[in-house]
Amino acid sequence: MLRRRFGAVSAAAFVALATAAGPASAAAVGSVQGGLAHAQISSPAIGEHAEALVAEMTTVEQAASVVMGHIPTTDAGALRAYMQQGLGGFILMGANIPATDDELQTLTSALTVDPALPPLVAVDQEGGIVSRLVGDGFPASTVLKSQPVSDTSSAFSARAALVARAGITVNFGTVADLTSDPSSFIYGRALGTDPQTAAERVAAATTAQEQIIASTLKHFPGHGAAPGDSHSAVPATAETIDEWRSTDAVPFVAGIEAGASLLMFGHLAYTSIDPAPASLSARWHEIAREQLGFDGVIVTDDLGMLQSSGIPEYADPVTNAVSAVVAGSDLVLMIAGSTPDTAGQIVRGLADAVDAGVLPADRLADAATRVMTLRLQSTSATTDWAPCPECEPAD
């Protein structure tokens, strides 16, 4: 995986040019990236440091560190108080985005209680259909799927810079689902209509973003094969594992090989493999880890969506969170229906599950270590950006 850190001056210049370029100038923004040189500095000690930090935590602290919460407000004080629970992350939705860039940067700064260990701050910035941030006029999936792959690289470089400028470290922005059906819920957000074209653009989007922020592939194992909207149902497909490997898996494999930091599991049931939603399926987590070789952070899609399905066994977000971590997820995401109390309830539920023997202590520690590693990587000086003397400046 590629890790990143902006130098303050070069990052500001990069983003200023990106945001000024506008939708017609994504290629020019790509040339801005070409005018910067970066040197990747490996830091294997980060993982050891993360493991040591987690070992010193109580069970409750470990549980809090694997929860990515949300409350719908732009009140910086309220957000800071919320994050004092020790949560590992926060996701910004539309209701968190203030009117100006300065206000947004103040808000994201308020999410950090301990400057030595900032939380993961995430956003769904796909561009186009799903956009939270103002100023993203860069090409999105609706047009990128029919344009050269280089256009995807340029667009996502610019998009990542916009995200980073706001103080956001994680983008849930790469849709690795594929479908050729225009009536599909996910068609407009997918980067390709067949395995190969989707894989090429997913890899390009991943490589571009990972220079700057932590990128995410979603919605594993693939929404295209499962008709319906997972915001209000658990879409299902009878696709077999062999069929999946030759179709829906291909873009995810490409994104993993390109170095994606996170893999988001969808609430999708591939019934021939496991009748449970992938987000709660130990089998699908095993496939991701052992067959696809993904070693980053596995995050659930919004657990509130499971509640919204109306299926009785998924009515309790605490139970859903415990089931997800037991299955192999590292970070549980809760948005829909979340109140200021919901994250704390999930934290207590995870800790109680460890005490009851339902959630193995080493599984929670493993999840906490993966999340902690990504938090440390996101703040470490593993990539320095500096002017590239031999490169031509952007026009």
Side-chain angles (χ1 to χ4, degrees):
M1 295 181 190
L2 297 175
R3 299 300 170 203
R4 78 299 301 158
R5 181 177 72 90
F6 280 139
V9 176
S10 60
F14 179 46
V15 177
L17 286 166
T19 54
S25 303
V29 174
S31 70
V32 173
Q33 185 186 29
L36 299 171
H38 65 91
Q40 185 178 354
I41 304 171
S42 61
S43 185
I46 288 179
E48 295 177 4
H49 183 39
E51 188 174 357
L53 289 174
V54 169
E56 295 174 356
M57 290 179 168
T58 66
T59 300
V60 171
E61 289 170 337
Q62 289 183 7
S65 76
V66 303
V67 175
M68 177 170 277
H70 169 77
I71 51 173
T73 182
T74 56
D75 184 328
L79 289 168
R80 188 173 185 82
Y82 178 76
M83 293 303 290
Q84 285 174 343
Q85 301 175 84
L87 303 181
F90 187 90
I91 181 170
L92 298 167
M93 302 296 288
N96 300 117
I97 308 301
T100 70
D101 289 346
D102 287 346
E103 289 174 311
L104 179 55
Q105 290 164 6
T106 297
L107 185 149
T108 54
S109 295
L111 294 168
T112 296
V113 176
D114 178 3
L117 188 59
L120 298 174
V121 180
V123 70
D124 288 307
Q125 192 63 29
E126 300 171 15
I129 295 171
V130 177
S131 289
R132 312 293 185 212
L133 304 181
V134 177
D136 187 348
F138 307 111
S141 54
T142 49
V143 296
L144 290 173
K145 58 166 58 80
S146 61
Q147 293 180 347
V149 176
S150 59
D151 288 358
T152 298
S153 296
S154 297
F156 275 89
S157 290
R159 185 161 291 123
L162 182 70
V163 170
R165 179 187 184 188
I168 300 167
T169 52
V170 174
N171 189 17
F172 295 149
T174 310
V175 176
D177 310 297
L178 69 91
T179 180
S180 60
D181 180 5
S183 68
S184 169
F185 155 74
I186 206 69
Y187 178 83
R189 296 164 60 191
L191 286 167
T193 57
D194 63 79
Q196 185 59 35
T197 61
E200 291 171 348
R201 287 159 181 78
V202 166
T206 299
T207 299
Q209 291 176 90
E210 284 289 330
Q211 311 296 320
I212 305 168
I213 55 172
S215 72
T216 309
L217 306 171
K218 64 184 185 183
H219 308 80
F220 186 82
H223 212 310
D229 185 345
S230 57
H231 288 88
S232 56
V234 178
T237 176
E239 184 172 278
T240 67
I241 189 70
D242 288 338
E243 291 170 332
W244 174 78
R245 286 193 182 105
S246 64
T247 54
D248 296 270
V250 177
F252 287 99
V253 171
I256 289 169
E257 291 179 350
S261 294
L262 299 97
L263 180 62
M264 178 179 282
F265 271 48
H267 308 310
L268 312 167
Y270 280 61
T271 55
S272 71
I273 299 161
D274 190 335
S279 53
L280 309 181
S281 166
R283 175 60 179 145
W284 275 113
H285 286 78
E286 177 187 23
I287 290 170
R289 293 292 191 204
E290 298 185 9
Q291 296 186 21
L292 272 59
F294 181 70
D295 64 354
V297 171
I298 291 178
V299 58
T300 69
D301 205 345
D302 174 18
L303 293 177
M305 293 161 59
L306 279 176
Q307 282 181 283
S308 300
S309 72
I311 299 173
E313 55 263 46
Y314 306 138
D316 181 9
V318 175
T319 300
N320 294 337
V322 171
S323 297
V325 178
V326 169
S329 289
D330 305 308
L331 188 63
V332 293
L333 176 64
M334 183 68 194
I335 307 170
S338 182
T339 73
D341 299 323
T342 306
Q345 292 165 354
I346 291 175
V347 170
R348 289 190 294 274
L350 290 168
D352 289 346
V354 172
D355 292 341
V358 174
L359 172 58
D362 58 354
R363 169 78 275 271
L364 177 60
D366 175 66
T369 300
R370 289 181 186 275
V371 173
M372 181 66 72
T373 299
L374 184 57
R375 292 170 68 181
L376 293 173
Q377 288 169 336
S378 295
T379 59
S380 67
T382 54
T383 302
D384 288 319
W385 293 78
C388 177
E390 67 272 18
C391 298
E392 294 183 6
D395 295 331

